[in-house]
Amino acid sequence: MPMTPDILLVLTILGAASVFFITGWIRMDLTALLVVVTLAVTGLVSPAEALAGFSSPAAVTVAGMFVLSAGLARTGVAALIGRRVLEVAGQGEARLLATLMLTAGVLSGFMNNIGVAAFMLPVVMDLSRRTGTPPSRLLLPLALACLMGGLMTLVGTPPNIVASDALVSQGLEPFGLFDFTPVGLAILGVGTGLVVLGGRHLLPARDPRTARAGSSGPELAESYDLQEKIFRVRLPSRSHLDGKTLAESRLRSALGLHVLAIQSPDRRELDPGPEAVLRSGDRLLVQGRPELLTELRRGHHLEPGDHSRAAEFLRAGGVSMAEAQVPEDSALAGRTLNQSDLRSRKGVLVLALRRGSALHRTDLEDFPLQEGDLLLLQGPEDRLQELVDERDLERLRHLELEEAFQAYALEERFLALRITPDSILAGRTLEESRLGDAAGLTVLGIRRDGETEVAPDPQVELRVGDLLLVKAKPETLQVLRGLLRLRVEEADELLLQELESDSVGLVEVVLAPRTKLVGRTPRQVGFREKYGLTVLGIGRGDELHRTNLRDLPLQFGDSILLFGSRRRLKLLAQESDFLVLSEALQDPPRTERAPLAAGILVAALLPVLLGWVSIGIAVMAGATAMILSRCLSAEEAYRSVEWPAVVLIGGMIPMGTAMHQTGAALMVAEGMVGVLGDMGPRAALAGLALMTAAGAQVIPSVALVVIMAPIAIVTAADLGVSPHAFVMGVALSAASLSSPVAHPVNVLVMGPGGYRYSDYLKLGVPLTGVVLILVVGLLPIFLPFTP
């Protein structure tokens, strides 16, 4: 078929969407919405066709299966089955792996594979601890089994549902509930055998004592190498920190020290809160960098300068000050200054905040803004006006420097500090110096060689002799002097044992598949402020981060080590953004409704098996029954749905329609038939399967099946054979087994297992080969080319 303008246009849209899928520049669900809009605006599909995907049986069925899976998980059905089976698996690694993979695979045939991996993860981590098997030997096989097991039934994975819907859209017979089972079961069985008999030797193995095995107490601390970063410091007599609370002491912000316990002859306080008061002579159990304290004690780093003429300092830099109010609908309301990030986004500093009769001039970074707050701002006039235009602020009023100083009593908050020759700050950027949020010093300007730079860029490098104009409380320097006098005590091998008691402990968590916290830092999440917990370490693949954690953006797959009271750890387990890798802390399931949930699943799928009702109607009826029977609440049902996946399906289905209507699918199919057609339909099936398997490593499998299914149907028509084997081959080949980022299940186990990218390739590539061989070898037997 010749290239037409419509074909060129639809292939261009498809190419752009593929680039966004591969690079991640735009979220996959947003990319799908852009596809919908573009196809409709260009006239490649009608408005009704553009929106039809969101009401398609595929989108409805996938959403309903998420709810059904959540009902089974919330009532403990799946966990009970998994736990009971694993209990009889024995101690041998081969037998344990075989039982684990077959159990997870079979469950994934009837539940969403992400949900299976999520509830099996704590079970496997506890099993790892009990058997002494490193989690790195178990978690990747778990993930692969979930992906392979989803191939066994129509409802096991969204690509299978989308493939069946593609047949229906062309007036063809859809797949039955167990049409996938013969080949899918073979894939799970052979794949499990490959891992158990040989593949397990390719898995990384570490000493269980150092593996992150879901342990508690000292063992879990050792798994993050915390013995190198946990030590004691002592407050000397007549310390400047005497009488200060932990929040006021700036131990955490200035030195990066997390205070885990306060000890003195008359008290022992574990997991002290920010209001805990320090006394001279206190011994503090802290986590951080002892070498930083040693470096700080070697010399003087800042010395006082002349700050009596602060207004002239700022005037020399051409500073502009203004006053503005936070309106009712402002995006700043409810957020801290640190979260709003006005300095880096707009180059604007907040110098003071007036709330009613109260005036706040320091420590504003973590101060939540409210409607009606009056802010004193420093920054370029055009940036200040932008904030007003964007409705973040209102009632902007420019102030003269003297007026601002008088109205907000700034003079008593300004200090001038000079960088000394032996200062550790020389040669560091302003951002690296951590003078702002760490030491509580807001740097308003730098005078160097007679020139003044106001609101300096965070990347400006500090030099010896620089005079810094800073805003701070008068007692801030006293606090900093108190920090410099802290004494590091000698190492004690028993320190880690103090992290565990009846009231406090350690736990490892990972971000849940549907978390909204990806890209946010621990400080923005508010682990300490919101949950009362301290982040001691973050595992990312095989890397461990134990210092400077507050501003480290979280990634999906990270494992996070938390310390705090057991009551608060248990509350965290109820948060939908986290998966706690300890069954003991998890919210108990509604086991009394487990038989009811299992009955609802059977009742929903049995009519489909008998051909009485379509899969979409049956699944939605089952999902509704789960809520009405109180197996899970309506809120839990909505949270269980992976909405980006549903939007992705609804948004990409019009692309399949456009490929059919423009002839793009026919053109690609004719090209494939021209290359492979003479070798028969099995060769064409192999070509489609290979293309799909390659694309599945970088493109979401659902989107890929939407694209490939029309090509498979047209290819079969050109060859004069039944399309069912071709379409099923595409769906089965879309399993993302080789890449850690191509499927959430793979990412979920990356942190707890400490895996590298290469670990996925070692097992995933051979298993992908197994899938392709079985697809090409078995599909023509169970779904003959000739109807």
Side-chain angles (χ1 to χ4, degrees):
M1 182 174 181
M3 176 73 72
T4 66
D6 282 351
I7 291 178
L8 179 61
L9 183 56
V10 76
L11 292 180
T12 301
I13 296 171
L14 176 59
S18 299
V19 169
F20 293 144
F21 285 139
I22 294 170
T23 61
W25 291 339
I26 300 179
R27 286 173 44 137
M28 65 176 188
D29 50 342
L30 185 56
T31 298
L33 293 177
L34 289 175
V35 168
V36 171
V37 173
T38 307
L39 290 174
V41 170
T42 56
L44 293 172
V45 297
S46 68
E49 289 169 333
L51 299 176
F54 297 105
S55 60
S56 67
V60 172
T61 302
V62 168
M65 282 307 302
F66 279 120
V67 177
L68 279 175
S69 299
L72 295 176
R74 190 67 187 87
T75 56
V77 173
L80 178 63
I81 295 173
R83 193 180 302 110
R84 290 290 173 83
V85 172
L86 291 177
E87 283 176 356
V88 301
Q91 298 289 322
E93 184 180 75
R95 183 177 174 183
L96 184 61
L97 274 177
T99 307
L100 170 64
M101 293 186 69
L102 292 175
T103 301
V106 171
L107 289 173
S108 296
F110 299 94
M111 295 178 60
N112 174 259
N113 47 27
I114 300 175
V116 174
F119 76 73
M120 287 289 287
L121 188 55
V123 176
V124 173
M125 294 298 278
D126 282 347
L127 181 69
S128 169
R129 186 190 70 248
R130 292 199 306 269
T131 61
T133 305
S136 58
R137 307 285 292 179
L138 301 175
L139 291 180
L140 186 53
L142 168 68
L144 295 172
C146 289
L147 294 175
M148 293 188 293
L151 305 177
M152 290 197 307
T153 67
L154 174 63
V155 297
T157 184
N160 291 2
I161 299 172
V162 170
S164 183
D165 189 62
L167 291 172
V168 174
S169 68
Q170 298 303 310
L172 299 168
E173 187 72 21
F175 291 123
L177 182 61
F178 293 110
D179 283 354
F180 286 85
T181 303
V183 180
L185 187 60
I187 289 172
L188 177 62
V190 175
T192 299
L194 178 66
V195 172
V196 171
L197 297 178
R200 62 191 176 98
H201 300 297
L202 300 176
L203 291 166
R206 291 186 292 272
D207 188 324
R209 291 172 298 175
T210 60
R212 297 197 290 278
S215 305
S216 59
E219 294 84 4
L220 189 53
E222 287 180 10
S223 73
Y224 279 78
D225 293 335
L226 288 185
Q227 63 272 20
E228 301 175 6
K229 301 298 180 182
I230 290 184
F231 56 99
R232 278 199 184 93
V233 297
R234 181 188 292 273
L235 273 65
S237 59
R238 296 189 299 277
S239 172
H240 291 296
L241 301 180
D242 187 280
K244 302 289 185 185
T245 65
L246 278 182
E248 294 169 338
S249 73
R250 296 194 172 275
L251 281 161
R252 186 171 72 160
S253 60
L255 300 181
L257 298 179
H258 299 287
V259 179
L260 309 178
I262 301 175
Q263 298 170 308
S264 66
D266 57 349
R267 67 167 172 164
R268 182 172 183 264
E269 187 174 354
L270 293 173
D271 187 33
E275 70 287 347
V277 178
L278 299 175
R279 298 297 180 191
S280 296
D282 280 348
R283 302 169 71 213
L284 312 180
L285 181 66
V286 299
Q287 184 252 347
R289 296 170 54 200
E291 65 274 13
L292 178 61
L293 273 177
T294 303
E295 189 177 6
L296 286 172
R297 288 173 61 90
R298 287 176 181 167
H300 299 287
H301 308 285
L302 292 169
E303 61 183 13
D306 181 12
H307 60 273
S308 61
R309 303 171 70 181
E312 293 183 18
F313 188 116
L314 294 175
R315 186 179 290 109
V319 70
S320 175
M321 286 192 181
E323 188 180 66
Q325 192 172 40
V326 179
E328 179 180 0
D329 56 348
S330 172
L332 301 179
R335 306 181 69 189
T336 66
L337 291 178
N338 175 61
Q339 291 169 336
S340 62
D341 206 13
L342 288 178
R343 180 162 190 170
S344 62
R345 286 195 305 111
K346 300 291 187 180
V348 172
L349 289 175
V350 178
L351 301 182
L353 181 151
R354 191 185 297 277
R355 178 174 296 167
S357 60
L359 178 62
H360 306 273
R361 292 163 295 181
T362 51
D363 297 326
L364 300 177
E365 291 80 9
D366 297 314
F367 204 89
L369 299 178
Q370 296 180 7
E371 173 195 350
D373 284 348
L374 202 61
L375 308 181
L376 179 63
L377 307 165
Q378 170 192 325
E381 291 188 19
D382 57 335
R383 295 298 185 89
L384 294 172
Q385 188 59 46
E386 281 182 15
L387 290 171
V388 175
D389 295 339
E390 295 169 1
R391 293 292 300 154
D392 287 333
L393 297 173
E394 65 180 4
R395 301 179 184 176
L396 184 70
R397 183 171 72 95
H398 292 279
L399 302 176
E400 295 295 330
L401 288 178
E402 288 77 6
E403 182 183 2
F405 269 60
Q406 182 176 0
Y408 286 87
L410 292 181
E411 190 74 51
E412 61 192 61
R413 288 290 188 263
F414 279 50
L415 299 171
L417 300 173
R418 191 177 302 278
I419 296 180
T420 62
D422 57 350
S423 174
I424 64 172
L425 301 177
R428 299 189 181 189
T429 66
L430 191 57
E431 183 178 49
E432 292 169 343
S433 73
R434 295 172 55 84
L435 286 171
D437 69 312
L441 306 176
T442 302
V443 180
L444 305 178
I446 300 176
R447 177 167 290 179
R448 178 185 298 163
D449 299 328
E451 299 291 331
T452 300
E453 181 180 359
V454 176
D457 187 276
Q459 299 306 316
V460 67
E461 184 177 295
L462 300 176
R463 300 177 187 174
V464 172
D466 282 350
L467 185 65
L468 313 180
L469 181 65
V470 302
K471 179 170 66 71
K473 293 180 180 179
E475 61 268 25
T476 295
L477 290 182
Q478 293 296 323
V479 171
L480 295 179
R481 291 189 183 101
L483 293 176
L484 293 177
R485 294 186 60 201
L486 291 174
R487 299 173 182 174
V488 180
E489 296 190 343
E490 293 185 6
D492 185 343
E493 295 181 358
L494 300 179
L495 284 179
L496 296 184
Q497 296 183 10
E498 298 185 23
L499 299 178
E500 193 83 1
S501 74
D502 293 338
S503 59
V504 301
L506 295 168
V507 74
E508 192 175 27
V509 305
V510 295
L511 295 181
R514 299 172 191 90
T515 182
K516 301 180 182 67
L517 303 182
V518 172
R520 300 179 66 182
T521 65
R523 178 166 59 170
Q524 291 169 334
V525 172
F527 279 102
R528 190 69 203 173
E529 295 76 14
K530 182 178 180 181
Y531 302 110
L533 301 173
T534 300
V535 179
L536 296 185
I538 296 177
R540 181 166 295 166
D542 63 340
E543 297 180 355
L544 291 175
H545 301 270
R546 294 157 298 170
T547 55
N548 299 325
L549 301 177
R550 292 208 309 161
D551 297 311
L552 180 66
L554 298 176
Q555 296 181 7
F556 184 48
D558 285 350
S559 57
I560 307 167
L561 182 64
L562 297 173
F563 171 76
S565 74
R566 296 191 182 278
R567 180 179 61 84
R568 292 184 179 275
L569 291 172
K570 196 170 184 64
L571 290 175
L572 182 77
Q574 301 174 16
E575 293 284 334
S576 60
D577 285 311
F578 303 99
L579 288 177
V580 176
L581 302 187
S582 172
E583 287 190 282
L585 290 173
Q586 291 189 331
D587 199 19
R590 303 183 182 113
T591 52
E592 71 281 1
R593 300 190 181 277
L596 184 57
I600 289 173
L601 177 67
V602 173
L605 297 183
L606 186 60
V608 178
L609 182 62
L610 297 175
W612 294 349
V613 69
S614 69
I615 184 68
I617 297 299
V619 167
M620 289 308 296
T624 304
M626 284 287 187
I627 299 172
L628 292 177
S629 63
R630 292 185 293 176
C631 290
L632 74 167
S633 66
E635 291 75 16
E636 290 170 332
Y638 279 113
R639 286 201 305 265
S640 70
V641 177
E642 192 177 346
W643 293 108
V646 176
V647 172
L648 178 64
I649 293 170
M652 290 303 295
I653 283 177
M655 174 59 73
T657 304
M659 292 185 67
H660 259 297
Q661 294 181 168
T662 61
L666 177 60
M667 187 185 74
V668 176
E670 287 179 347
M672 179 167 290
V673 172
V675 174
L676 300 173
D678 292 341
M679 291 182 275
R682 194 182 291 267
L685 174 62
L688 285 167
L690 187 60
M691 286 176 57
T692 306
Q697 309 315 313
V698 291
I699 296 176
S701 55
V702 169
L704 188 63
V705 171
V706 170
I707 296 166
M708 293 298 297
I711 297 173
I713 293 172
V714 176
T715 301
D718 280 358
L719 293 172
V721 299
S722 171
H724 287 77
F726 282 42
V727 174
M728 185 177 289
V730 164
L732 294 174
S733 302
S736 310
L737 302 177
S738 303
S739 169
V741 296
H743 199 284
V745 169
N746 287 340
V747 183
L748 187 63
V749 301
M750 193 173 192
Y755 295 118
R756 302 171 184 168
Y757 197 102
S758 59
D759 295 325
Y760 290 84
L761 295 177
K762 290 175 184 177
L763 272 185
V765 170
L767 287 175
T768 300
V770 167
V771 171
L772 294 177
I773 292 171
L774 293 176
V775 164
V776 176
L778 296 182
L779 265 181
I781 298 174
F782 295 102
L783 291 174
F785 291 129
T786 54

